[in-house]
Amino acid sequence: MLNWLSIENYILIDTLKLSFKPGFNVLTGPTGSGKSMITNALGVLFGARIQSNSELDQSKPVTIRASLKADKVCFHTFKNYMNDNQSFDLERTIKQGKSVYKCNGKPIKLVDIIKIRDAHFCHRQQHQQLDLFNDD
């Protein structure tokens, strides 16, 4: 479960922190309010590239953090990364094109971030459900 998400210096977001409750959470708002920017930032945390046409302030690092309540699948595989609350506090900092990934303050490989992501949730954005109809 996603506990919270923090975004700093990402496109038009200077600082944003969102908290989530157990169960189903939905981001809603009018066109242009930043919903896609928030979901894209979550994708960036999990290894997606920042679009090259994004207007980023190169003088400041982009920092995206999130806390995930540990799923039972991860207890044994990633117990050395879990904190006392049995959560993963993930962080990706991007400065001058270089990324640093951390989990609870310790360096972590992207491949492990992806495994943690895959064990915890399915992230879909608008129109991605149409991929289900592709034959390939």
Side-chain angles (χ1 to χ4, degrees):
M1 184 193 106
L2 184 61
N3 296 318
W4 53 262
L5 174 67
S6 170
I7 305 168
E8 295 175 24
N9 305 316
Y10 179 68
I11 309 177
L12 299 175
I13 299 173
D14 289 330
T15 303
L16 175 69
K17 185 161 184 180
L18 299 171
S19 296
F20 299 92
K21 297 188 180 210
F24 186 70
N25 290 269
V26 178
L27 293 175
T28 64
T31 301
S33 62
K35 302 176 300 291
S36 293
M37 208 176 312
I38 292 167
T39 59
N40 288 342
L42 191 57
V44 167
L45 174 67
F46 292 117
R49 292 180 179 263
I50 294 179
Q51 297 172 352
S52 60
N53 61 348
S54 297
E55 295 181 27
L56 300 175
D57 182 348
Q58 298 295 327
S59 68
K60 299 177 185 175
V62 173
T63 304
I64 302 169
R65 296 179 185 95
S67 178
L68 300 174
K69 182 75 175 161
D71 183 272
K72 292 177 186 175
V73 172
C74 291
F75 280 162
H76 299 293
T77 308
F78 296 105
K79 63 184 172 186
N80 57 325
Y81 286 116
M82 269 189 276
N83 64 20
D84 293 339
N85 298 326
Q86 295 184 333
S87 295
F88 300 103
D89 291 345
L90 304 174
E91 177 181 324
R92 181 178 182 187
T93 301
I94 305 166
K95 187 171 184 179
Q96 297 174 340
K98 300 204 187 272
S99 290
V100 175
Y101 294 93
K102 291 183 181 178
C103 182
N104 296 321
K106 300 175 188 174
I108 187 171
K109 295 177 182 175
L110 176 58
V111 67
D112 291 335
I113 292 262
I114 291 169
K115 287 177 186 175
I116 291 170
R117 176 203 65 196
D118 290 348
H120 286 84
F121 64 93
C122 179
H123 173 228
R124 294 288 181 257
Q125 291 181 273
Q126 186 177 15
H127 305 299
Q128 283 185 319
Q129 76 280 5
L130 298 177
D131 291 341
L132 297 172
F133 300 109
N134 288 342
D135 291 334
D136 39 316

